[in-house]
Amino acid sequence: GINAEYGTSPHSTKIEFIVVFLTVLVVFIATALAVSTRPQMSKQSVILSATGEHKSTIVFAHGLGDEGASWAMALRQMQAALPNTKFVFPTAPVQPVTLNNGYRMTSWHDIKSLAEIDSDTTDRVDGVQASIDILHALLESEIASGIDASKIVLAGFSQGAAMSVRAGLTFNAPLAGVGALSGYLVEKALLASDLNKECTTKTKVFVAHGDRDPVVPFVAGERLAARLRELELDVEWHAYSGLVHSSSNEELRHLLAFFQSVLADNDDALEASEKEAVDNAEAL
């Protein structure tokens, strides 16, 4: 019979319920698939906790095919000089890289050719936005834990350097610093429009490159520094004679000095260093 009050039959009501249920199910499955196919970090970040009171954080992104643990070992030596700083070393998503014939490896974004690294293309590069989102989420996590953006540095090597510049200078709050070792400017034509303008007065940028780099040309590092200066950013530039696509003790000393200079929360360590310098001078 017909339901006199609503003008519908029980049978049609059941059909409507099934249609609604199937619609919700399809939406749920589509959402789950979208989330599962979105690039995610392939491993948990390696964390070096502050040895003193946690007052600042450095996030360091590795290069193509590498992982966070490698740079954790390289920068562990800095902990003594930065006792109040936590280090975070994320590992990029595993995804196909066109340059390597589609081979899947840890990569912050796709690279079609080495020539593309320093190009002026206006195109979006596959993977860049997803990796920006990953790095921004790490920064937001630190802020949620009580660390102000002005006490955070985002740095990286090679592809990680490119992403640190791209993510660090477009974050919704200006960071203390951004570091780029052997890097380049990805999506360079788009940075100006995406740039957080507060960074021009509140964020210092460290750019360093070896003049014998066979992978990311030295000129790419020079152009990165020049472009950031054109955008009125405060850039500290270092060139290393004879250095290939790698780091060096000299570069790491300069990087440490940069970290110390922008992270004023390590005043205790700086005061100790200054006292030691005074003591040494008096002993002469």
Side-chain angles (χ1 to χ4, degrees):
I2 300 295
N3 185 318
E5 183 177 357
Y6 297 102
T8 59
S9 69
H11 180 67
S12 63
T13 301
K14 288 180 181 178
I15 292 175
E16 290 173 1
F17 173 79
I18 292 172
V19 169
V20 170
F21 174 78
L22 290 176
T23 301
V24 171
L25 182 62
V26 168
V27 171
F28 175 79
I29 292 173
T31 302
L33 286 173
V35 171
S36 66
T37 55
R38 188 180 302 153
Q40 305 285 334
M41 286 191 296
S42 55
K43 293 183 178 181
Q44 284 191 326
S45 297
V46 175
I47 306 292
L48 299 181
S49 299
T51 57
E53 182 183 355
H54 180 202
K55 296 180 180 180
S56 60
T57 298
I58 294 170
V59 179
F60 195 95
H62 63 78
L64 179 66
D66 202 358
E67 59 182 45
S70 298
W71 281 95
M73 290 187 289
L75 300 190
R76 186 182 296 273
Q77 60 187 308
M78 293 185 179
Q79 282 190 292
L82 296 166
N84 300 323
T85 301
K86 169 187 175 183
F87 288 80
V88 180
F89 301 91
T91 294
V94 172
Q95 50 192 328
V97 176
T98 303
L99 175 66
N100 293 331
N101 298 314
Y103 183 77
R104 294 176 60 81
M105 59 176 61
T106 53
S107 177
W108 295 107
H109 65 79
D110 190 27
I111 299 176
K112 292 183 170 59
S113 70
L114 291 179
E116 178 191 76
I117 281 179
D118 195 41
S119 73
D120 290 311
T121 177
T122 58
D123 296 335
R124 292 282 181 182
V125 177
D126 290 344
V128 167
Q129 188 57 53
S131 289
I132 288 175
D133 293 343
I134 289 172
L135 294 173
H136 281 183
L138 288 174
L139 300 176
E140 288 163 359
S141 177
E142 290 304 304
I143 291 171
S145 74
I147 304 302
D148 192 81
S150 65
K151 304 297 184 184
I152 299 175
V153 174
L154 178 58
F157 175 80
S158 191
Q159 193 187 54
M163 288 309 311
S164 294
V165 170
R166 197 73 179 79
L169 297 178
T170 60
F171 190 55
N172 58 26
L175 305 180
V178 168
L181 282 60
S182 303
Y184 52 95
L185 187 53
V186 66
E187 296 184 341
K188 66 173 63 177
L190 301 169
L191 179 61
S193 60
D194 295 343
L195 178 70
N196 179 340
K197 299 303 187 291
E198 285 189 275
C199 290
T200 60
T201 57
K202 297 182 178 179
T203 302
K204 296 184 182 300
V205 186
F206 179 93
V207 182
H209 217 108
D211 66 0
R212 293 291 181 269
D213 192 330
V215 179
V216 179
F218 179 68
V219 68
E222 289 184 309
R223 289 175 179 167
L224 166 58
R227 179 57 179 149
L228 295 182
R229 283 172 175 155
E230 287 174 5
L231 295 173
E232 301 183 347
L233 287 151
D234 185 352
V235 178
E236 177 181 334
W237 161 253
H238 293 273
Y240 300 100
S241 178
L243 183 64
V244 294
H245 194 61
S246 181
S247 188
S248 67
N249 289 335
E250 182 183 18
E251 181 180 54
L252 292 181
R253 285 195 299 271
H254 290 157
L255 182 63
L256 172 58
F258 173 78
F259 288 158
Q260 289 178 310
S261 71
V262 299
L263 296 176
D265 53 304
N266 286 285
D267 287 342
D268 293 343
L270 288 173
E271 287 175 8
S273 298
E274 291 168 359
K275 183 178 184 302
E276 182 180 356
V278 171
D279 291 342
N280 290 340
E282 292 175 347
L284 293 177

